[in-house]
Amino acid sequence: MDFNLLRNIISRYCTGEEIWVDSRTVYIGHKEPPPGAEAYIPQRYPDNRIVSSKYTFWNFIPKNLFEQFRRIANFYFLLIFLVQLIIDTPTSPVTSGLPLFFVITVTAIKQGYEDWLRHKADCSINECPVDVVQQGNVARTQSHKLRVGDIVMVREDETFPCDLIFLSSSRDDGTCYVTTTSLDGESSHKTYYAVPDTMAFKTEQEVDSLHATIECEQPQPDLYKFVGRINIYKDKEEPVSRTLGAENLLLRGATLKNTKHIYAVAVYTGMETKMALNYQSKSQKRSAVEKSMNAFLIVYLCILISKALINTVLKYAWQWLPDRDEPWYNHRTENERQRHVVIRAFTDFLAFMVLFNYIIPVSMYVTVEMQKFLGSYFITWDEEMFDEELGQGAQVNTSDLNEELGQVEYVFTDKTGTLTENNMEFIECCVDGNVYIPHAICNGQILSAASSIDMIDSSPGGYRREYEDLFFRALCLCHTVQVKEEETVDGIKRGIHQGKPTSFYISSSPDEVALVEGMKRLGYTYLRLKDNYMEILNKDDEIERFELLHVLNFDSVRRRMSVIVKSISGEYLLFCKGADSSIFPRVVSGKVEQVKAHVEQNAVEGLRTLCVAYRRLSESEYLEACHYLTEAKLALQDREHRLAQAYDVIERDLVLLGATAVEDRLQEKAADTIESLHKAGIKVWVLTGDKMETAAATCYASKLFRRSTQILELTKKRTKEQSLHDVLFELNRTVIRQRSMSGLSVDCLDFGLIIDGATLSAVLKPSQEVSGHGNYREIFLEICRNCSAVLCCRMAPLQKAQIVKLIKSSKEHPITLAIGDGANDVSMILEAHVGIGIMGKEGRQAARNSDYAIPKFKHLKKMLLVHGHYYYIRIAELVQYFFYKNVCFIFPQFLYQFFCGFSQQPLYDTAYLTLYNISFTSLPILLYSLVEQHVTIDALKRDPSLYRDIAKNSLLRWPVFLYWTCLGVFDAVIFFFGAYFLFDNTTFTSNGQMFGNWTFGTLIFTVLVFTVTLKLALDTRHWTWINHFVIWGSLLFYVIFSLLWGGIIWPFLNYQRMYYVFMQMLSSGPAWLSIILLITVSLLPDVIKKVLCRAICPTATERAQVQEKQLPGSMAELTPLSFCQPYKGRSTDSTLLHLGAAETLSLRSSSPLAQKLLTHLAEGGGSDLSSLSPYMLRLSGAGFAYYAPGPETPV
């Protein structure tokens, strides 16, 4: 027996040796290693089949039923249905079984259809053709048949079928270009590198002759991390080991570009590929409305149990007398007499539970689900949220959180790419203390790039010129930019400009492209990377070549990147660029103070700054650096940590060259959006990795901070001067003192807090209970609660999520929203209650991991203030209405038991019990919850403070819930006792017959259906033809159904107790009078309550509704105005007054306002509209145009 094999199998499946957990060995081409090298242990890996579907043909029914009955309400109704089947209950099992069957079936069909679509998508992917190298030839097979170790050939524009290690390319330099749009949304071409020892293999036979193994880590979802090494066996020599990293790994879903073909070996297949691991489901988020629904259900379940218990007790109390226990008309059987009283009581209790179980609305869940699913389309259909530039509109990734958009209290936003455009433009650079500006203006003329440099210093000395050249070379060499030699625009190739070749730069970082283009404008052009040599064209039109030896990649911890290059003269140079906080501590010489002052000045102006430094390496220092890097890269364990240590050793003793300034403009209407959110009572926090000065300038520009805002600083700089404890308590005293004074003063001081990452780490340390100082978290939260805006700068991605979690878990438990556009924002997007991704230039990771995705930050205003507002009021009404109508429905049944000896006699017919929630009353509330608009869209956008009316789940609080429940009980009492006293001892039909119990129940049911439907009609403010059709159509359907149900002998029924009952009831005049009277009395209290509340203490929403009624029908909205703008003259074909890029004012030419405006303009008052401010309304008519690009002032 092979004991080695046995030992390895045991070690693989037991926890004793972790090597099997952390790494895997791949045999390229499934070839065994040569004898004496290492033991050949064949390992089993999954095939390349992608499975995104949830069910199979065989497990769909049991698995789907199991998942549905995990929901408490469904399981409860299943138990009720089983009780009806087992014991003798007053109602048919159909009354519970049919609604439950309807809900289960609808949900199963929806989920089954979605899964069928996933099956189709999986099949199309798994059956894609793939070229595999077998025995020196290329064979075509299907994607799902690929195995780990197969050598794959991929051609240009084909998608990689699995995760592959890049072996060789059709390009001579062993590189290939790849786009990863489907993975992270980045459309730029990324460069990947073949293993140096295999890049020479150009044919199938050569590749097939490769004898090698790959050792790599087990699959993990990080797209940008890979650790491995390849061992290449050549004859009987020792194997050659080469490091493998993310630059060698081609990911499934990426596409090959600008390369004819490549050869690669499969290392991760199927559900172990990084793409599959990234698309696994995220944690389920639950909205506050859903939590309220569950709490209300528990209350109603307690009411149901109480009703059943009370009726059971009263039944046996009433039957205590023998003549009542067994009356002459209802003798019990012998078995019933012998049954123990406890068993009989328990059976009766279950029977009452069945009788009253309709108080729990089973159909509410399916209605809510349909409302969320259908309602989510309003976001995707919104044309105002469509971006022409991107060609995309808003996306809904989950519809479960629609109403949560109306409950947001905190917005956490990224800065770069979210508040700003992430469209970088090189502004200036500072070299050795001197400023260089591309295309400088001198005497009114724009000088060329080279001239502008000479203008600044026409005769630079040798020392100065050397620093200048080093600085420009550093920025031309220290980057990961790719050069595209030509570009096709509208079918015309762009590659020659004025006889000279023109290069186009592509990079995943907009900053790098801006810097390289800035250098080009200053006379230094990066040409290309060829055969590992970087070529640049200097200002003297001379081509310089540098051999690229090592790239020390940028990461968010180091916040810098470096390259080691070798010049033609044999000199080794290390160029480094990065954030000032990471460069200055490593600098040993240079004009540090001058550059630092310039960096701070640029940061205050809102520019993004980077510092540039260099170091000359001797050959021995270079070899030492190579040793550190090679040793770290070959490590399979803790490679990232070892690389960080190696980088730390190499990037030291730097000479500061200068700094750059790049502008990232604020997004359109970002300031207006933030101002609207503030008015809506939403606190906005900016979380960014930028330096404090740059971020603060952006916050002022975006109106997060105002000039009157008092800034509180909680930064590393301040905690160096004072202890963290003292700073926190001082800030806390400041805000508490101001809060106490604000009650006495009209002018309330506005606070803004700035905190950096280092101080935040100290605040969030778990062991802060030090010497009675208290918990720093609570003090920090208290300060934040009293600040209108907070800026967190120098944040790592994990710290962003920690901030969101800190606010989420505070004692108020506010609803949080996180919005960002990059991979570094994903953690906070997943952490927040609602995550929104911006479809930006940093890829689509944020949009893919978010709950909602929008093209621009400005669309957040409508998303929250309009869509969120509507979603919340609609679903809140839906939930409360469902409980209300079920109380109205079942409480008369409870009262009826007091008049039938607690005999469990149903008040309503079986058909009415079954169809009440399914047909008669469900469609009107579903439509209401989709189209209701209690105020207009214009009013919501014009007055953001209306958002405060629905804050903190105000429409689903316990007092509101209690009001709806009491209203339902009141209406039920009116239905029952109104019918009871009106019909007491009275003959109603022409032949002298009295109404029986089924006529009595049908009368109550008729009043019930009309009352709850008309109650919804009274609550509806936004009427459309479809509202009329559904509401009046539902009532008509009930009448027609009742006529048919009671007017025809149905052959499938053994008995028909409802035959002619409904028509007999309608033939009675007093019945008609009773129906009208009871409906009126039932609806009257709610109408009176609303009238009194509107008159005595109206809400902001109710005041807005009144204003809309009072304004003329042509008025739509108040618009922001821009003052002091030049008058453009009269427009003969326009009836609009233009007051901004997207704002218009229209006036009737006959109106007093139009006449005043005409007079005002005729007198030359076009440059000052302030006198018209009381009239700034949007009407229709008039013909003047103002163009107002200036600052907007809301009226």
Side-chain angles (χ1 to χ4, degrees):
M1 182 179 178
D2 189 348
F3 289 101
N4 286 332
L5 178 61
L6 179 63
R7 184 180 70 249
N8 283 301
I9 291 172
I10 292 172
S11 67
R12 181 181 180 184
Y13 291 104
C14 299
T15 56
E17 296 183 36
E18 292 188 357
I19 186 168
W20 290 101
V21 177
D22 296 335
S23 64
R24 62 167 55 183
T25 302
V26 178
Y27 301 96
I28 297 179
H30 307 288
K31 294 176 183 174
E32 299 182 19
E38 61 183 59
Y40 175 60
I41 307 165
Q43 300 178 36
R44 292 180 61 85
Y45 300 115
D47 60 20
N48 200 38
R49 193 184 307 274
I50 286 289
V51 180
S52 62
S53 56
K54 197 174 182 179
Y55 307 105
T56 66
F57 179 78
W58 306 106
N59 72 5
F60 173 71
I61 292 177
K63 190 174 181 180
N64 185 265
L65 289 177
F66 173 74
E67 289 181 349
Q68 291 207 57
F69 284 119
R70 286 171 64 185
R71 180 175 277 178
I72 295 174
N74 289 347
F75 184 69
Y76 161 76
F77 276 95
L78 178 65
L79 290 180
I80 292 293
F81 176 64
L82 294 176
V83 166
Q84 286 180 292
L85 290 176
I86 294 169
I87 67 171
D88 183 19
T89 55
T91 57
S92 167
V94 175
T95 58
S96 292
L98 192 61
L100 180 64
F101 177 76
F102 173 75
V103 170
I104 296 295
T105 303
V106 168
T107 307
I109 290 172
K110 173 179 170 287
Q111 293 177 353
Y113 175 71
E114 291 173 350
D115 204 62
W116 176 69
L117 294 178
R118 286 192 287 265
H119 268 285
K120 284 183 65 178
D122 290 347
C123 285
S124 64
I125 293 171
N126 293 329
E127 293 175 4
C128 280
V130 176
D131 292 327
V132 180
V133 177
Q134 295 175 347
Q135 298 178 352
N137 296 309
V138 176
R140 178 148 286 205
T141 184
Q142 290 183 331
S143 175
H144 68 90
K145 295 180 180 178
L146 275 183
R147 299 290 182 270
V148 170
D150 285 347
I151 299 174
V152 180
M153 178 182 178
V154 182
R155 294 182 173 84
E156 186 175 4
D157 293 327
E158 287 184 352
T159 300
F160 300 125
C162 60
D163 290 351
L164 306 163
I165 291 296
F166 184 17
L167 296 177
S168 70
S169 165
S170 59
R171 300 173 70 94
D172 296 333
D173 57 0
T175 61
C176 72
Y177 296 102
V178 169
T179 58
T180 55
T181 309
S182 61
L183 291 170
D184 57 16
E186 294 180 12
S187 57
S188 58
H189 290 52
K190 296 185 176 69
T191 307
Y192 286 81
Y193 302 91
V195 178
D197 297 76
T198 63
M199 60 185 285
F201 298 159
K202 300 296 183 183
T203 65
E204 294 84 7
Q205 293 77 14
E206 290 174 346
V207 172
D208 193 48
S209 66
L210 176 62
H211 211 173
T213 60
I214 293 173
E215 295 175 68
C216 60
E217 62 186 357
Q218 291 289 2
Q220 51 98 3
D222 192 339
L223 295 176
Y224 309 104
K225 179 186 172 188
F226 177 74
V227 178
R229 65 168 171 249
I230 183 170
N231 303 311
I232 303 169
Y233 302 97
K234 297 180 180 179
D235 300 328
K236 295 184 179 179
E237 300 176 12
E238 283 292 316
V240 178
S241 291
R242 292 285 182 261
T243 177
L244 297 174
E247 69 276 6
N248 308 116
L249 183 69
L250 306 171
L251 300 178
R252 176 176 193 142
T255 306
L256 184 66
K257 293 289 184 182
N258 295 349
T259 310
K260 288 184 179 178
H261 65 266
I262 60 129
Y263 296 102
V265 59
V267 286
Y268 303 132
T269 52
M271 300 307 292
E272 290 186 343
T273 58
K274 290 182 181 287
M275 184 184 75
L277 293 174
N278 269 278
Y279 285 162
Q280 288 178 352
S281 59
K282 303 185 286 287
S283 58
Q284 187 72 23
K285 295 181 180 180
R286 294 174 60 214
S287 69
V289 170
E290 190 176 345
K291 294 172 185 175
S292 298
M293 277 172 53
N294 292 337
F296 297 162
L297 273 175
I298 291 171
V299 171
Y300 270 61
L301 191 60
C302 293
I303 293 173
L304 169 63
I305 294 171
S306 303
K307 282 183 176 181
L309 199 61
I310 290 169
N311 274 266
T312 305
V313 172
L314 291 177
K315 174 178 181 176
Y316 282 89
W318 190 78
Q319 291 181 350
W320 191 255
L321 297 175
D323 60 327
R324 290 183 179 173
D325 184 32
E326 191 175 354
W328 59 271
Y329 56 84
N330 191 15
H331 287 287
R332 283 185 296 185
T333 63
E334 192 63 31
N335 289 335
E336 289 176 333
R337 290 194 185 97
Q338 292 176 358
R339 193 183 300 169
H340 196 276
V341 67
V342 174
I343 296 175
R344 280 191 289 146
F346 181 70
T347 305
D348 285 331
F349 173 77
L350 291 179
F352 279 119
M353 286 282 288
V354 169
L355 189 64
F356 301 141
N357 84 87
Y358 302 97
I359 197 172
I360 306 293
V362 63
S363 59
M364 181 175 68
Y365 279 104
V366 73
T367 308
V368 166
E369 203 167 299
M370 290 171 67
Q371 189 270 348
K372 289 183 175 183
F373 175 71
L374 297 174
S376 64
Y377 282 100
F378 291 124
I379 290 178
T380 57
W381 290 338
D382 193 333
E383 293 181 358
E384 290 183 21
M385 298 174 71
F386 183 85
D387 186 72
E388 297 289 345
E389 184 184 345
L390 290 174
Q392 286 186 301
Q395 295 176 0
V396 178
N397 297 329
T398 174
S399 60
D400 293 337
L401 302 171
N402 292 344
E403 64 276 8
E404 207 80 330
L405 294 170
Q407 294 297 293
V408 174
E409 297 172 59
Y410 282 83
V411 168
F412 299 93
T413 174
D414 178 40
K415 183 182 80 70
T416 307
T418 304
L419 289 179
T420 60
E421 291 182 349
N422 202 12
N423 186 15
M424 309 300 175
E425 181 183 355
F426 181 81
I427 301 299
E428 64 182 33
C429 59
C430 171
V431 183
D432 201 37
N434 298 282
V435 179
Y436 293 77
I437 304 171
H439 303 300
I441 299 176
C442 181
N443 297 328
Q445 295 183 346
I446 299 177
L447 303 179
S448 67
S451 302
S452 65
I453 295 175
D454 293 339
M455 181 201 70
I456 294 171
D457 189 349
S458 58
S459 57
Y463 171 77
R464 165 80 182 284
R465 178 64 185 260
E466 181 190 7
Y467 264 50
E468 176 189 297
D469 290 340
L470 281 170
F471 179 84
F472 294 138
R473 287 193 188 105
L475 289 177
C476 285
L477 298 172
C478 187
H479 56 73
T480 57
V481 170
Q482 299 165 32
V483 181
K484 199 173 181 184
E485 295 297 341
E486 61 180 28
E487 188 175 83
T488 302
V489 179
D490 296 330
I492 302 171
K493 285 190 175 180
R494 292 172 55 192
I496 303 296
H497 179 65
Q498 294 179 351
K500 296 181 180 180
T502 306
S503 14
F504 301 91
Y505 300 118
I506 303 169
S507 175
S508 56
S509 169
D511 292 85
E512 288 195 329
V513 173
L515 291 174
V516 175
E517 287 178 343
M519 292 305 99
K520 187 176 178 181
R521 289 157 60 196
L522 287 170
Y524 282 76
T525 304
Y526 171 60
L527 297 178
R528 61 180 173 174
L529 172 65
K530 183 179 181 183
D531 298 331
N532 226 33
Y533 279 87
M534 302 181 80
E535 298 179 359
I536 61 175
L537 183 71
N538 63 24
K539 58 184 293 186
D540 299 322
D541 285 339
E542 297 171 352
I543 294 179
E544 300 177 7
R545 300 179 82 237
F546 294 84
E547 184 182 359
L548 180 62
L549 300 173
H550 291 284
V551 178
L552 282 60
N553 289 314
F554 175 87
D555 63 68
S556 57
V557 179
R558 285 167 50 242
R559 297 181 63 78
R560 61 184 180 273
M561 79 162 289
S562 302
V563 293
I564 300 175
V565 297
K566 183 180 179 182
S567 66
I568 298 298
S569 60
E571 187 179 23
Y572 294 98
L573 293 168
L574 167 74
F575 290 117
C576 182
K577 72 176 181 188
D580 57 331
S581 59
S582 67
I583 297 292
F584 285 141
R586 299 181 171 273
V587 168
V588 292
S589 66
K591 296 186 178 180
V592 178
E593 294 305 320
Q594 288 177 313
V595 173
K596 186 179 287 187
H598 192 73
V599 165
E600 289 176 356
Q601 179 187 343
N602 284 335
V604 169
E605 294 170 2
L607 302 177
R608 295 164 62 87
T609 59
L610 282 178
C611 293
V612 182
Y614 88 108
R615 174 187 169 199
R616 283 189 168 87
L617 301 175
S618 65
E619 189 168 354
S620 60
E621 287 175 327
Y622 168 68
L623 292 175
E624 184 184 2
C626 283
H627 172 72
Y628 281 131
L629 291 171
T630 305
E631 193 178 59
K633 287 179 179 178
L634 283 174
L636 284 181
Q637 307 293 330
D638 298 325
R639 180 184 289 185
E640 286 188 349
H641 179 63
R642 295 189 186 187
L643 277 173
Q645 289 179 328
Y647 294 162
D648 189 59
V649 172
I650 296 166
E651 296 169 328
R652 59 181 170 82
D653 301 333
L654 303 175
V655 178
L656 185 64
L657 290 172
T660 63
V662 173
E663 183 182 18
D664 186 9
R665 291 190 180 90
L666 205 64
Q667 276 197 21
E668 179 193 4
K669 294 189 178 179
D672 174 60
T673 301
I674 288 180
E675 192 172 23
S676 297
L677 295 179
H678 275 309
K679 290 178 180 177
I682 299 171
K683 293 190 175 182
V684 181
W685 290 31
V686 174
L687 313 181
T688 178
D690 255 346
K691 61 180 68 62
M692 187 182 85
E693 295 81 7
T694 306
T698 304
C699 290
Y700 277 110
S702 63
K703 298 185 182 178
L704 186 75
F705 294 155
R706 298 181 178 276
R707 296 300 167 192
S708 60
T709 302
Q710 181 177 338
I711 301 299
L712 308 175
E713 284 190 22
L714 188 55
T715 57
K716 189 177 179 180
K717 179 181 177 182
R718 186 167 180 186
T719 53
K720 280 182 180 178
E721 300 167 0
Q722 293 176 270
S723 69
L724 177 62
H725 171 266
D726 292 341
V727 174
L728 278 170
F729 275 82
E730 182 183 330
L731 295 178
N732 196 30
R733 281 195 298 272
T734 302
V735 296
I736 289 175
R737 190 187 312 118
Q738 177 60 32
R739 188 173 61 183
S740 61
M741 292 172 60
S742 64
L744 305 173
S745 172
V746 177
D747 298 324
C748 182
L749 195 60
D750 191 22
F751 286 109
L753 176 68
I754 298 178
I755 183 170
D756 60 16
T759 314
L760 180 69
S761 298
V763 169
L764 298 182
K765 276 184 182 175
S767 56
Q768 291 297 344
E769 303 287 345
V770 185
S771 63
H773 287 164
N775 193 331
Y776 287 170
R777 287 172 182 249
E778 289 303 319
I779 302 169
F780 173 67
L781 283 171
E782 186 63 31
I783 296 169
C784 292
R785 287 188 194 103
N786 291 281
C787 293
S788 60
V790 178
L791 166 62
C792 303
C793 51
R794 297 295 194 194
M795 290 281 120
L798 188 60
Q799 286 181 311
K800 292 184 178 184
Q802 288 174 336
I803 282 280
V804 176
K805 188 174 183 179
L806 179 69
I807 299 299
K808 265 177 67 178
S809 56
S810 61
K811 61 184 180 183
E812 296 92 357
H813 298 291
I815 304 300
T816 58
L817 180 146
I819 179 169
D821 71 318
N824 59 336
D825 303 315
V826 169
S827 54
M828 74 169 179
I829 284 172
L830 294 177
E831 182 63 46
H833 292 96
V834 182
I836 295 185
I838 299 278
M839 302 168 189
K841 297 180 180 179
E842 292 186 15
R844 297 293 168 89
Q845 301 98 314
R848 192 180 69 235
N849 286 279
S850 63
D851 303 304
Y852 303 89
I854 55 178
K856 294 288 173 61
F857 182 78
K858 66 179 181 180
H859 298 132
L860 183 65
K861 177 180 177 180
K862 190 171 185 184
M863 177 79 88
L864 298 185
L865 303 186
V866 177
H867 290 292
H869 197 119
Y870 282 154
Y871 282 138
Y872 177 74
I873 62 110
R874 288 165 180 171
I875 203 165
E877 177 90 7
L878 185 151
V879 171
Q880 299 282 28
Y881 179 78
F882 252 98
F883 285 112
Y884 157 77
K885 71 187 183 72
N886 278 38
V887 169
C888 292
F889 179 44
I890 217 63
F891 199 72
Q893 178 74 70
F894 172 73
L895 297 174
Y896 186 57
Q897 297 307 303
F898 289 85
F899 296 87
C900 66
F902 307 99
S903 61
Q904 298 146 17
Q905 168 67 30
L907 178 63
Y908 311 119
D909 180 62
T910 302
Y912 290 158
L913 286 171
T914 306
L915 297 178
Y916 176 73
N917 277 318
I918 293 179
S919 300
F920 298 147
T921 59
S922 59
L923 206 54
I925 185 59
L926 175 61
L927 187 74
Y928 175 94
S929 66
L930 289 173
V931 302
E932 170 62 5
Q933 294 181 15
H934 62 311
V935 288
T936 63
I937 294 175
D938 289 340
L940 290 176
K941 289 194 290 186
R942 183 175 64 241
D943 186 3
S945 63
L946 296 177
Y947 193 84
R948 296 171 185 258
D949 271 6
I950 61 169
K952 298 186 182 297
N953 206 15
S954 61
L955 300 183
L956 287 174
R957 288 180 184 165
W958 288 107
V960 182
F961 169 72
L962 192 62
Y963 168 76
W964 279 87
T965 303
C966 291
L967 183 63
V969 171
F970 172 82
D971 288 351
V973 170
I974 295 296
F975 301 159
F976 183 82
F977 286 107
Y980 178 78
F981 288 117
L982 285 171
F983 294 170
D984 190 28
N985 297 324
T986 310
T987 58
F988 280 84
T989 57
S990 55
N991 58 6
Q993 290 182 345
M994 291 181 65
F995 282 175
N997 64 318
W998 294 117
T999 310
F1000 178 69
T1002 302
L1003 178 68
I1004 293 176
F1005 191 81
T1006 302
V1007 175
L1008 162 70
V1009 170
F1010 274 79
T1011 300
V1012 297
T1013 305
L1014 292 175
K1015 165 78 171 73
L1016 190 64
L1018 288 174
D1019 287 347
T1020 301
R1021 292 190 60 85
H1022 182 66
W1023 284 93
T1024 62
W1025 68 267
I1026 198 168
N1027 289 84
H1028 288 286
F1029 177 77
V1030 169
I1031 287 179
W1032 314 124
S1034 293
L1035 296 176
L1036 184 62
F1037 172 74
Y1038 164 69
V1039 173
I1040 293 173
F1041 173 83
S1042 298
L1043 290 172
L1044 292 175
W1045 184 248
I1048 301 173
I1049 300 293
W1050 299 96
F1052 56 86
L1053 295 178
N1054 295 327
Y1055 63 94
Q1056 195 164 348
R1057 57 197 177 198
M1058 292 297 292
Y1059 182 66
Y1060 217 67
V1061 167
F1062 191 73
M1063 283 182 282
Q1064 186 183 30
M1065 181 191 75
L1066 294 182
S1067 66
S1068 169
W1072 280 91
L1073 179 63
S1074 300
I1075 291 171
I1076 295 170
L1077 183 64
L1078 292 177
I1079 291 172
T1080 305
V1081 172
S1082 300
L1083 293 174
L1084 197 59
D1086 188 48
V1087 174
I1088 293 172
K1089 176 254 179 189
K1090 286 181 178 177
V1091 170
L1092 290 177
C1093 286
R1094 282 174 179 268
I1096 298 171
C1097 52
T1099 63
T1101 303
E1102 289 167 345
R1103 286 195 292 269
Q1105 291 170 348
V1106 172
Q1107 288 173 5
E1108 284 178 357
K1109 285 185 177 180
Q1110 291 174 349
L1111 295 175
S1114 58
M1115 182 183 299
E1117 62 177 328
L1118 293 162
T1119 57
L1121 298 179
S1122 301
F1123 298 107
C1124 304
Q1125 301 300 325
Y1127 170 52
K1128 299 296 181 181
R1130 180 157 187 158
S1131 169
T1132 56
D1133 57 348
S1134 173
T1135 58
L1136 298 176
L1137 179 67
H1138 295 272
L1139 295 162
E1143 306 292 350
T1144 57
L1145 254 144
S1146 305
L1147 307 167
R1148 284 204 185 98
S1149 54
S1150 59
S1151 69
L1153 173 56
Q1155 296 299 325
K1156 179 168 183 176
L1157 184 58
L1158 287 167
T1159 306
H1160 182 74
L1161 295 175
E1163 293 170 355
S1167 62
D1168 180 16
L1169 292 175
S1170 57
S1171 62
L1172 294 179
S1173 58
Y1175 303 94
M1176 299 301 182
L1177 302 177
R1178 188 170 187 249
L1179 307 171
S1180 61
F1184 295 87
Y1186 275 78
Y1187 296 90
E1192 293 182 346
T1193 305
V1195 177

